[in-house]
Amino acid sequence: MAGQEEQQLATVLSNGNVPASNERRDERILNGFSAMLLGVRQWWPYYAMMAPGLLFFFIWHYVPIWEAKMAFENVRIIPPNIWVGLKNFQVLFSSPIFHQVLLNTLIISGMKILFVFPIPIMVSLLLNEVRNGKLRGVIQSAIYLPHFLSWVVIAGVFIALLSPTDGAVNEIGQAMGFQPVSYMTNTGTIRWVLVISEIWRSAGWDSLLYLAAIFAIDPQLYEAAEMDGANRWQKIWHVTIPGIVPTIATLFILNMGLFLSADLNQIVNMQNDVNASTIDIIDTYVYRMGLSTGEYALATAAGLFKAVIGMILVITSHLVSKRLTGKGVW
């Protein structure tokens, strides 16, 4: 009986069933690895250019994911940390300071979505209507330039322009009979300063994506609209805007993911002791708690809260966009 089983096993092995399967699997793995090496060898300059960006995202966006567990711990100087569950979130949400910070973030981010997000769309539509190529190039260069300035420089420019003593804005206002206003320390105007400075810095650069989408629209659609008697405004409304709706939807969804960010660099450079209560946002709160007072657990809890809300907003806005326009991020 044992001899017959051994003979059957020998027959199976001699037919090559099991080894062939293993050989094919090993061959597929080897071919896939060889193809990957060939691709890397062929496109290595592009991978080399991508490496710094990938390294940046890995260090600053993926490595910290593991340390997000500090939001549920009592952080000690000498490890291990003590697991406390949701205690840090309870302390965070019961803090009046965090309530004010969250309110400031919602107001500033809401103002930017309402007043900053549509401006690049309008700029791209206007630039598309400029038929003189040289003139359009000059305008584009002028409105793109602020994007390459740091917020330190931009804050200095606005502080000088809005100075209540010798600022150009107040001098013009005084010439028209108005009293000078300290815009940078006035809690009623500082948020509008943030909005206007953001528009000045980003409107031109952000319009590039919309311009690229406009240039990708089939020219035959404009010709057909013109044959139907459409004027310029009608062609914009019925051809150009529908053609860039997917781009608008995608960028809006991505902006919703950053809704609770409100631009830390801008706030830090515009903030002072007088207006801090009005423009103190979650990111500045995290910065202050984490680096100034050493409350790493509370800072991590606030950052994790912001990240979760951002993810929820991205998914929600994607689903709403898919329902309304049929377009989304995925």
Side-chain angles (χ1 to χ4, degrees), residues 208-257:
L208 278 174
L209 294 174
Y210 300 108
L211 272 176
I214 290 173
F215 293 154
I217 297 175
D218 190 352
Q220 294 182 359
L221 296 176
Y222 291 102
E223 295 175 1
E226 190 171 354
M227 291 178 63
D228 290 337
N231 55 31
R232 272 192 171 187
W233 168 249
Q234 290 172 329
K235 285 189 286 187
I236 291 173
W237 185 254
H238 296 287
V239 178
T240 307
I241 293 180
I244 63 174
V245 162
T247 304
I248 296 174
T250 301
L251 293 179
F252 179 79
I253 294 170
L254 296 177
N255 274 280
M256 291 303 295

Side-chain angles (χ1 to χ4, degrees), residues 4 50 92 111 122 142 153 173 222 272 298 322:
Q4 292 179 354
M50 291 171 57
L92 188 69
M111 292 175 67
M122 300 177 187
V153 176
Y222 291 102
N272 53 54
L298 281 179
K322 290 284 284 187

Side-chain angles (χ1 to χ4, degrees), residues 266-299:
Q266 181 191 31
I267 300 296
V268 167
N269 286 284
M270 296 284 190
Q271 194 176 67
N272 53 54
D273 293 337
V274 180
N275 64 28
S277 61
T278 307
I279 62 174
D280 193 17
I281 60 173
I282 293 178
D283 284 344
T284 55
Y285 177 83
V286 171
Y287 174 82
R288 187 168 60 254
M289 289 292 103
L291 297 181
S292 298
T293 64
E295 296 286 347
Y296 302 114
L298 281 179

Side-chain angles (χ1 to χ4, degrees), residues 17-32:
N17 294 336
V18 176
S21 176
N22 292 335
E23 287 177 3
R24 285 196 297 270
R25 182 182 62 189
D26 294 341
E27 185 178 357
R28 286 197 299 268
I29 294 174
L30 184 60
N31 290 339

Side-chain angles (χ1 to χ4, degrees), residues 140-149 200-201:
Q140 286 178 317
S141 300
I143 62 178
Y144 294 168
L145 180 62
H147 173 78
F148 300 99
L149 301 178
W200 183 70
R201 181 178 186 269

